[in-house]
Amino acid sequence: MTPDGYSSSKKTDDFCEDVCGQNCFDLQQATRVATTMSRIRCMLRGVDLKIFLFLLVVVPMGIFGIFMHGQKITSFLRPLWQSPPKPFIHVPHYYHPNVSMENLCKLHGWGIREYPRRVFDAVLFNNEVDMLTIRWKELYPYITQFVLLESNSTFTGLPKPPFFASNREQFKFIEPRLTYGTVGGKYKKGGNPFYEEAYQRVALDHLLRIAGIEDDDLLIMSDVDEIPSGHTIDLLRWCDDIPPKLHLHLRNYLYSFEFVWAHRSWRASVHRYQIGKTRYAHYRQSDYLLSDSGWHCSFCFRRINDFIFKMKAYSHYDRVRFSHFLNPKRIQHIICKGGDLYDMLPEEYTFKEIIGNLGTLPHSFSAVHLPAFLLENPDKYKYLLPGNCERESG
């Protein structure tokens, strides 16, 4: 009964608290939990168990799979979003040491010159001391001037010691014909390594002018490990009416001359220099491709540490997706089986080519038609020859 004479039948918690105490409170909590569970059961009653398992198990696994293998997925689907480039016009390549230069030029549909053109070989140098030695020994009889530019940092901005300057003594044989230059890196953290690469190639243009290049001289544009054969350069310097820009098709190798890589190597090129027009570049600049013109030995290093340095230094550092990719034991294992250091699928434009090139590279036991200096010094360069996949740890 309330003070104003009315009574109330509304229940309160006072009686419960006074009579039941803590037991009553526990009962209320249990009731709430039971109600909540009942609601959940009602919600799940209309949900198929398979859908529930799909959301709980399959979706998280799919997300994890994309994280781990997203690059492989995009590479495999490449034919859906990228068309193949325009095919090259293949120029047949004729050569035999017993055939005269005049006849060789005629076989190519070119005339013969009264005297050979001057030839400039220009490279950006990172740390490929052995490959540079093999390259320059192969080209030495045909080159007017060797031009080399070295930076104090990599394309990705890592500090780099002057590897060439430190090993310059072993290149005394080309010293009278060497134009050597250095350049400071411009890379900024978070920047694009391809900008740094382009900047260094512009600096190499300037160094070529210092070296004295002139109109109609031949200029070789290629990375250190893209080695034109000596007879190819001799042919181009003696023949008249050759294309102004000519890409070189190189036999492609990976890790050594044991693993033949089907991936096409065409970026190396030879140009008839034009002052004010020719720019040093490493992309497609012509439709003409001279067949079988030399060798490209990619990631052909003596020491495991050199592999690690290259993987962190060059423009495609984004391919190092996980830290364990740089594990020395893993790298050594992959070298010997002919696998991919970045665990990538073949970079092809059709599903047929992608599937056809899956897996490790086949072993080749042929050392025929390799650079002469390599075969003349088999003990020094044993690691580059078939059957010698073990690398030095230092």
Side-chain angles (χ1 to χ4, degrees):
M1 182 75 69
T2 60
D4 55 5
Y6 292 95
S7 62
S8 174
S9 61
K10 182 180 180 181
K11 296 180 179 178
T12 69
D13 291 334
D14 295 340
F15 176 79
C16 180
E17 290 175 358
D18 292 342
V19 176
C20 299
Q22 185 62 37
N23 289 336
C24 187
F25 177 76
D26 291 342
L27 181 61
Q28 286 183 314
Q29 290 294 101
T31 303
R32 291 194 187 100
V33 172
T35 302
T36 302
M37 292 301 295
S38 297
R39 288 174 179 170
I40 293 174
R41 282 195 294 270
C42 288
M43 292 170 60
L44 295 178
R45 192 174 297 165
V47 178
D48 192 305
L49 181 61
K50 293 180 181 179
I51 296 177
F52 178 74
L53 291 175
F54 178 82
L55 294 174
L56 189 65
V57 179
V58 178
V59 171
M61 288 179 64
I63 294 173
F64 179 74
I66 291 173
F67 172 74
M68 294 295 292
H69 303 290
Q71 192 174 63
K72 283 187 175 182
I73 295 171
T74 56
S75 295
F76 185 76
L77 298 177
R78 185 178 189 176
L80 298 179
W81 53 267
Q82 188 171 9
S83 300
K86 179 183 177 182
F88 279 102
I89 299 171
H90 291 266
V91 178
H93 191 172
Y94 303 93
Y95 173 72
H96 192 279
N98 295 332
V99 177
S100 70
M101 185 59 69
E102 182 177 3
N103 284 335
L104 288 175
C105 289
K106 285 182 179 179
L107 284 168
H108 291 85
W110 303 326
I112 184 75
R113 293 171 56 88
E114 293 183 6
Y115 55 88
R117 293 183 181 87
R118 300 195 309 165
V119 185
F120 288 69
D121 181 38
V123 294
L124 294 176
F125 185 73
N126 187 29
N127 65 332
E128 312 95 330
V129 175
D130 284 354
M131 294 308 297
L132 183 66
T133 304
I134 294 169
R135 176 194 183 94
W136 281 356
K137 286 288 186 178
E138 175 72 19
L139 297 177
Y140 179 78
Y142 317 105
I143 302 300
T144 306
Q145 196 73 14
F146 297 92
V147 183
L148 184 144
L149 181 69
E150 184 169 31
S151 175
N152 63 0
S153 66
T154 68
F155 294 156
T156 56
L158 296 175
K160 185 180 81 68
F163 287 111
F164 180 81
S166 301
N167 293 276
R168 192 163 178 168
E169 280 293 311
Q170 72 183 67
F171 296 102
K172 279 186 175 181
F173 67 97
I174 55 92
E175 192 68 38
R177 290 190 253 163
L178 174 64
T179 300
Y180 171 65
T182 59
V183 64
K186 295 290 186 180
Y187 182 87
K188 295 181 180 179
K189 188 175 181 180
N192 188 331
F194 288 99
Y195 291 157
E196 175 65 23
E197 181 177 349
Y199 163 73
Q200 292 189 26
R201 295 191 189 280
V202 170
L204 189 53
D205 276 328
H206 179 68
L207 192 61
L208 277 164
R209 291 192 290 272
I210 294 175
I213 195 167
E214 297 177 354
D215 279 337
D216 208 40
D217 289 338
L218 290 187
L219 170 60
I220 303 172
M221 298 185 188
S222 70
D223 288 347
V224 170
D225 57 8
E226 297 169 336
I227 306 174
S229 61
H231 68 79
T232 296
I233 300 305
D234 197 29
L235 175 77
L236 296 176
R237 74 185 186 131
W238 272 106
C239 293
D240 217 351
D241 304 319
I242 65 173
K245 302 175 184 178
L246 183 62
H247 281 281
L248 305 180
H249 176 259
L250 307 180
R251 298 184 190 181
N252 217 5
Y253 299 88
L254 188 62
Y255 310 138
S256 72
F257 291 97
E258 177 174 348
F259 295 103
V260 181
W261 195 13
H263 186 69
R264 291 170 293 277
S265 181
W266 53 264
R267 291 181 179 274
S269 58
V270 176
H271 298 242
R272 292 169 59 181
Y273 192 83
Q274 291 183 282
I275 295 175
K277 293 183 178 180
T278 303
R279 294 289 182 268
Y280 195 98
H282 198 237
Y283 50 75
R284 182 166 176 171
Q285 303 178 72
S286 169
D287 291 335
Y288 293 97
L289 182 68
L290 182 63
S291 300
D292 201 5
S293 300
W295 314 269
H296 181 191
C297 198
S298 186
F299 278 88
C300 292
F301 296 112
R302 181 186 298 272
R303 302 174 184 85
I304 294 294
N305 283 349
D306 291 333
F307 283 85
I308 296 173
F309 182 80
K310 173 70 177 285
M311 292 172 73
K312 296 192 296 185
Y314 89 138
S315 301
H316 291 289
Y317 176 62
D318 59 303
R319 295 178 178 179
V320 184
R321 306 191 307 279
F322 307 104
S323 59
H324 75 270
F325 279 14
L326 302 175
N327 181 281
K329 291 183 178 179
R330 174 186 178 273
I331 292 173
Q332 179 61 80
H333 175 69
I334 288 176
I335 293 170
C336 285
K337 75 173 186 177
D340 190 287
L341 288 171
Y342 301 103
D343 194 26
M344 293 176 59
L345 295 182
E347 295 182 90
E348 302 292 353
Y349 296 93
T350 67
F351 290 115
K352 182 180 179 180
E353 290 176 324
I354 291 174
I355 295 171
N357 290 308
L358 288 175
T360 58
L361 298 177
H363 294 257
S364 169
F365 298 99
S366 171
V368 178
H369 301 307
L370 294 183
F373 186 74
L374 170 63
L375 298 180
E376 289 167 354
N377 297 270
D379 293 334
K380 184 175 182 179
Y381 301 109
K382 184 178 180 180
Y383 73 97
L384 291 174
L385 297 174
N388 300 280
C389 69
E390 293 292 330
R391 295 297 189 265
E392 297 175 16
S393 57

